Amino acid sequence: MFGLTRARRTAAAVAFGAAAAALPTAPSAVAAPRPVVGGTPTTTAEYPFVMQITDATGGQFCGGTLVAPTKVVTAAHCVVGETTGNVRVVGGRTHLSGTDGTVGEVSRIWFDPGYTDAVNGGDVAVLTLAKPMPYATAAYVSPTGTGVYAPGMTGRVLGWGTTGKNGGSSDQLRMAMVPVVSDPECRDSYGSDFVASDMVCAGYPSGGVDTCQGDSGGPLLIGGVLAGITSWGNGCAEAGQPGVYTRLASFSSLVTEQVLT
Ligand code: 4AZ
């Protein structure tokens, strides 16, 4: 089936990196980026583990989370098709326009071997950095994820993604709070595109607060730990269309293998 939800989904399967620029114009059925409302500006001093994922010229296209000095968790869809030479990780830089912080080269790219697109397999990747980042790391959820994904739990999302209707990314890092949505409720929104074992949803029933284009790969923190990765959604901040995040607990052991490698 090729229903409205799938057709109109903001294309999380498309990386917004250099490669995306070469793609033909998206079909008109694809929703334009919509405002992310309700977030507040913040800093990498406040959230030192939040990383920009950029191309070789410094153009940010995704977010990531430092979970060990040389390991960054991001979304598979951010890095599929990329090579180590054309991706950088930037830490300690609150503003996209900044030149502060640390630019890290990537020595290895791993993503869930089951990943084929946003709906199939885990939208999770681990980048290995050539040198350690001098920033505090974030803890990530255990394989059981006990209690973490309970509906109504407060999630915290961060990124430089789109904040205005036809606007570009936010120059300054932003943070927003979104409640975890129950699996049945998310299934009501997305049908079989929502795979509860691999994904978790967050957002208000009326919308208004959400991640958006450019936030992909960045963190969903619940109870202070990295519990999700910004992955996809139908548009941004629309009523009844919560953001969909990688359910990191399901991939926690795989991530640990990569962290220890
Ligand atoms: C994106 O394209 C994207 N509203 C990120 C988050 C959401 C939708 C799209 C969720 O990067």
Side-chain angles (χ1 to χ4, degrees), residues 9-14 16 36 61-62 77-78 190 202 209-217 230-238 241-245:
R9 176 191 310 133
T10 302
V14 176
F16 293 94
V36 176
F61 60 90
C62 272
H77 82 259
C78 289
Y190 292 120
V209 184
D210 199 6
T211 45
C212 203
Q213 184 180 330
D215 290 321
S216 273
T230 301
S231 182
W232 63 275
N234 185 11
C236 306
E238 293 187 31
Q241 310 285 286
V244 187
Y245 299 82

